[in-house]
Structures are given as C-alpha cells and as structure tokens.
Amino acid sequence: MKLELIATATFGLEAVVKREIQELGYKIIKTEDGKVTYLGNERAVAKSNLWLRSADRVLLKMGEFKAYEFEELFQQTKALAWEQLIPEDGKFTVNCTSVKSKLHSVPACQSIVKKAVVERMKEFYDTEIFEETGAEYTIKLTLLKDRATITVDTSGPGLHKRGYRVKDVAAPIKETLAAALVQLSFWNPERILVDTCCGSGTIPIEAAMIGRNIAPGLNRKFASDEWEFIGKDVWREERKAAFEKIDYERELNIYGFDINGRAVLAARENAEEAGVDDCIAFKRADVADMKAAGRNGIIITNPPYGERIGEKKEIENIYGAFRTYFQNNPDWSLFVVTTDKDAEEKIM
C-alpha cells in the first residue's frame, strides 16, 4: 500500500531529516518548516521509526483539505478510508491544533473528527458499539489558515525516547538534537570526537550509535507495533535486519568529559544501557585541562548557556579554554550549542 508519511522535526533540522529519509531510500514529496513529507509503504513505517535519528516522530497522513465550516470538516473526514487503518476493536483519540482558521474551537473540532471516524466505521463494520480494547491510534487534526491536515501518529512517545537514558542530569540535550549535531558536523568514525561538557553523555552516545550503525529505535516500542495493517512480521523482519547491520567491530575514538562527577557516572550508565560503553571514554575533567589526543579531531558540546546565576563566569572560562586549545590545535573543529550570538568571536 502506498502511504504518505510525515517526519516532524525541530525547526532548522529539516535538511538533516530529509537526508536521513533519502538514505533509507524513500522519495521526498516536500520539505516545510518542521516537517518532511515522503512516500513509503507499511514497511516504511517500521523502518522510519527504527532508523530516523533526528526526527521527532513519524505521522501517517490520512488527508488534507480546506475546511471553513464544521460540516465540511465532518464530511471530508468521514470520506477518508479509516477502516483500512483502524480495526473494529481499535482505540482512537483525537488531538487538534488550530492557527489562523475559522474553525478555532479545539474541543469542537476534536469532537467532530471523532464523530466522523465513528460514523465511517459504523457503516463499514455494521455495528453501533466499539469497545476500543485493541491497539491505539492517535489522530491529529492540524488546522492552519483553514487547511485541515489529518494524520495518525505511528511513533507514540517521541523518537528522542531511545530508552537508554537511565540516569539524567539538569537540562540534558535531546537525543534527536544530539544526533543532528553529530551529522551536521560531518564527523566520521575515523576522526576523534570529544564532548567537553558531556553531562549525561547524550552526544558521545549518539555519535557511537552512528559510528556502530546502531538503529536508534532498536530497543523501544512504537504505537504502530500493534497495528494490524502493518503486521508483526514486518516489525520482526525490520528489527532483525537492523540488528544484523550493527558493526560491533568498528573502532571509535570518542571521549566525554565533565567537571561534574555525578554527570560522568550518569553518562557511563547510559552508555552501558545503549551498548556503546566499550567505545567511549568518560572522565571527570575541566575543559581547561584538555589535551589533544590526536590530529584533526572534533569537539561537539552543549555547555551551560550562561543564563543562570553562576553560569556566566563558567561559560566565559569555557570559551577561554576553547580559545587556547584551538590556538594550539588549529586542525581541530568545534561545534557548540549556545544562545550566545557572539560565541564565535569570543572563542576564535
């Protein structure tokens, strides 16, 4: 079955997500702010959820149309082939957002879409009562300038929920953003990678998973795991294929440093849970004490933003340490997450 899928993304990361989708072999239809639309099939739902590193979630697009009145919304929603997706015992809820649209009452829109789906299924299944004891289907209605887009969430919890974060620290970077940073840096497994403010270890862990070719969704469940129209065989085959693609022999030079000892302990536990603890060296260390471990390395890090009490002095010290380091190691590269627009001038 040909499906239209949408990978949602943090604003600014659409190009990274688009590249990931293309690497999976799927045709891109269009790229917009915060989402990439592409063509696939039932197997693409499983493969996308397992392999997309920087997307927030994968949605199945059911339909798109103009809706100025509630009756239009009802009739066009009812016209969609819900029976091809939702079985008789399917449990479904409806969420809605409305921006610059005549239909601005979110509760009313949710109620109308729910009623339209029920009426369609009543006709197809020839029943008046639905127990809703089966798999879950979360329907999303997005109204933007009177255009209604109806999707169903195939992911469940966001794709950043890899399942390896068993220990946490304050203000951790999202796994999807960490993976995007590594890919934007064009790091490759032959280069040294260092995170000087590693926190709970997310950036080094994501880099190690990329280097070892570990599918980020391999150790978690998804909403569509239980969907009948995809089938458990498809999921089983895709998970098996993903396991077979892991390169356990790949040697990596990845380091995670943090001045906070609790953060280093958390990072080690998370790396062990992710199955990459053997290829990341975590150490309690100050940025100022960092010594080059080789040539042509790369630093990717998410330091304190300097916005809270005590952080401003800390971030100034970090910038100073970077400046000294890169003066002595001009062949290294630096990628930093920061809100400081003048960070580059302060470092270089």
Side-chain angles (χ1 to χ4, degrees):
M1 182 189 301
K2 184 177 287 188
L3 305 174
E4 199 168 329
L5 301 172
I6 298 173
T8 63
T10 301
F11 287 107
L13 299 184
E14 297 88 354
V16 181
V17 174
K18 178 182 177 180
R19 188 163 63 238
E20 290 182 18
I21 293 168
Q22 289 173 324
E23 287 174 356
L24 290 177
Y26 300 117
K27 181 182 178 182
I28 304 294
I29 298 177
K30 60 182 175 179
T31 302
E32 304 167 88
D33 288 345
K35 63 181 182 179
V36 181
T37 305
Y38 61 106
L39 292 176
N41 54 18
E42 298 92 329
R43 193 169 295 274
V45 174
K47 189 172 289 188
S48 298
N49 278 294
L50 286 169
W51 283 100
L52 291 182
R53 299 183 188 277
S54 304
D56 290 329
R57 58 183 65 246
V58 178
L59 308 176
L60 170 59
K61 184 175 176 180
M62 295 296 293
E64 189 170 25
F65 48 82
K66 284 286 187 179
Y68 300 99
E69 299 178 355
F70 288 127
E71 182 63 21
E72 285 180 295
L73 179 62
F74 176 84
Q75 293 297 341
Q76 299 212 58
T77 301
K78 185 182 175 186
L80 301 174
W82 294 102
E83 68 280 357
Q84 293 182 12
L85 175 65
I86 305 175
E88 188 172 350
D89 67 345
K91 176 184 177 182
F92 58 98
T93 55
V94 180
N95 296 324
C96 172
T97 58
S98 180
V99 178
K100 298 180 181 178
S101 296
K102 292 181 175 63
L103 303 181
H104 54 80
S105 172
V106 168
C109 291
Q110 289 176 172
S111 177
I112 287 167
V113 169
K114 175 85 174 184
K115 182 179 179 182
V117 176
V118 169
E119 291 301 316
R120 171 82 184 206
M121 292 176 65
K122 277 183 181 180
E123 293 177 4
F124 183 82
Y125 291 113
D126 193 25
T127 184
E128 291 293 317
I129 299 174
F130 295 98
E131 298 294 337
E132 296 195 54
T133 56
E136 191 164 351
Y137 301 80
T138 301
I139 299 168
K140 171 77 172 178
L141 167 65
T142 303
L143 287 161
L144 177 61
K145 296 179 181 178
D146 300 315
R147 176 162 290 278
T149 303
I150 300 184
T151 59
V152 183
D153 180 15
T154 75
S155 300
L159 294 181
H160 71 283
K161 298 282 190 179
R162 315 285 208 222
Y164 64 71
R165 199 195 288 272
V166 292
K167 293 288 184 179
D168 224 333
V169 296
I173 189 171
K174 283 178 69 173
E175 293 85 339
T176 46
L177 177 55
L181 277 173
V182 174
Q183 294 182 90
L184 284 168
S185 75
F186 291 101
W187 170 78
N188 66 70
E190 305 302 320
R191 297 181 71 183
I192 299 167
L193 186 147
V194 178
D195 183 353
T196 56
C197 308
C198 71
S200 57
T202 308
I203 292 174
I205 291 170
E206 290 295 323
M209 292 176 71
I210 291 170
R212 287 262 173 99
N213 200 33
I214 300 173
L218 200 49
N219 293 314
R220 57 159 286 179
K221 293 287 187 179
F222 303 95
S224 48
D225 263 301
E226 304 298 323
W227 290 5
E228 288 183 8
F229 99 101
I230 296 176
K232 292 185 180 296
D233 287 347
V234 169
W235 279 104
R236 186 162 48 248
E237 289 164 7
E238 288 303 322
R239 283 193 168 94
K240 181 174 183 290
F243 271 113
E244 291 173 349
K245 289 179 180 178
I246 299 175
D247 185 356
Y248 290 105
E249 303 304 317
R250 168 68 78 174
E251 299 239 349
L252 301 171
N253 291 303
I254 300 176
Y255 302 87
F257 303 141
D258 203 287
I259 198 169
N260 187 325
R262 288 180 62 252
V264 172
L265 290 175
R268 285 176 180 152
E269 288 193 47
N270 292 336
E272 184 176 355
E273 188 69 22
V276 293
D277 54 308
D278 64 318
C279 56
I280 308 174
F282 289 107
K283 181 181 177 182
R284 183 178 182 181
D286 192 305
V287 178
D289 298 328
M290 191 177 71
K291 301 291 189 295
R295 296 184 58 81
N296 193 33
I298 182 169
I299 295 174
I300 306 176
T301 194
N302 177 35
Y305 287 173
E307 295 175 348
R308 293 183 296 203
I309 295 174
E311 284 186 350
K312 188 171 183 180
K313 181 66 175 176
E314 184 181 354
I315 193 64
E316 287 175 357
N317 290 339
I318 290 172
Y319 287 165
F322 282 156
R323 185 165 56 251
T324 300
Y325 186 84
F326 284 97
Q327 285 172 352
N328 297 326
N329 300 278
D331 59 333
W332 277 58
S333 304
L334 174 66
F335 289 81
V336 179
V337 181
T338 180
T339 59
D340 188 350
K341 295 180 181 179
D342 300 321
E344 186 174 358
E345 293 178 10
K346 293 174 182 177
I347 294 169
M348 301 302 177

